[in-house]
Amino acid sequence: MKVRLIGIGKPGNKPLLRCLRDYEERISRYTSFERIETPDEKGIHDSGVLVQREGDRLLKLVRPESYVVLLDEGGRSMDSSAFAAWLQERMNRSVRRLDFLIGGAYGHGPEVRERADDTLSLSPMTFAHDLARLVFVEQLYRAFTILRGEPYHK
């Protein structure tokens, strides 16, 4: 399975970026992983137009065969073990490409939501984009260690 994290904006916080890269390297022991970023839209003050343009850019990066998961505060919540079981179920279904999408400051628009196969929440709280990426990759790594019975998850 190939897992991709596709998001609006580029990480700017250097300490968080170092941690992000560390977890990405750890994940690569279990599966193919790629982080794709598309820049924030500049100079747009209409949130509807902003969400539309960001959504268009995200959808251009999603392949037709991808199983698409929105990371959204309004999505389904689960603990780490349940997320590991969810991931295992996708592997059992022979999902070859799993794309997780992080939207911009105003979230995902209707076209992106329509394309999604699932919507998951990292937390009911709102995170800065850099932190959301880090929380996600840590949880993805944790899920793989749970599935392999490794001691990382206690």
Side-chain angles (χ1 to χ4, degrees), residues 80-120:
S80 298
S81 295
F83 179 60
W86 179 93
L87 186 62
Q88 182 66 61
E89 186 178 325
R90 300 298 146 318
M91 290 188 284
N92 292 348
R93 291 183 185 176
S94 299
V95 170
R96 294 180 188 258
R97 183 175 304 276
L98 190 53
D99 287 348
F100 290 90
L101 306 184
I102 295 179
Y106 295 99
H108 298 287
E111 291 84 7
V112 176
R113 290 183 184 282
E114 187 175 305
R115 171 59 180 91
D117 297 295
D118 208 341
T119 305
L120 302 179

Side-chain angles (χ1 to χ4, degrees), residues 4-6 11 19 21 24 26 28 34 46 48 61 79 82-84 95 99 114 118 124 126 134 138-139 145 149 153:
R4 301 187 314 160
L5 175 60
I6 304 171
C19 291
R21 288 180 178 149
E24 290 170 349
R26 293 179 191 200
S28 70
E34 181 180 14
D46 181 322
L61 295 168
D79 64 18
F83 179 60
V95 170
D99 287 348
E114 187 175 305
D118 208 341
T126 301
L134 180 57
E138 190 280 335
Q139 286 298 301
T145 65
H153 179 70

Side-chain angles (χ1 to χ4, degrees), residues 27-82:
I27 292 166
S28 70
R29 296 179 207 151
Y30 305 101
T31 195
S32 173
F33 180 83
E34 181 180 14
R35 176 172 35 98
I36 301 170
E37 292 142 353
T38 182
D40 293 311
E41 288 284 342
K42 304 291 183 206
I44 298 174
H45 303 292
D46 181 322
S47 62
V49 171
L50 181 66
V51 167
Q52 178 67 47
R53 287 192 185 169
E54 289 174 344
D56 290 346
R57 286 207 327 268
L58 286 174
L59 290 173
K60 284 180 183 173
L61 295 168
V62 170
R63 300 216 171 104
E65 70 275 13
S66 294
Y67 187 95
V68 176
V69 182
L70 303 186
L71 297 176
D72 185 271
E73 64 187 16
R76 190 161 38 106
S77 295
M78 57 182 80
D79 64 18
S80 298
S81 295

Side-chain angles (χ1 to χ4, degrees), residues 8-27:
I8 299 293
K10 295 191 180 285
N13 183 306
K14 292 191 189 305
L16 286 179
L17 185 56
R18 282 193 297 274
C19 291
L20 185 63
R21 288 180 178 149
D22 176 56
Y23 280 109
E24 290 170 349
E25 186 177 313
R26 293 179 191 200
I27 292 166

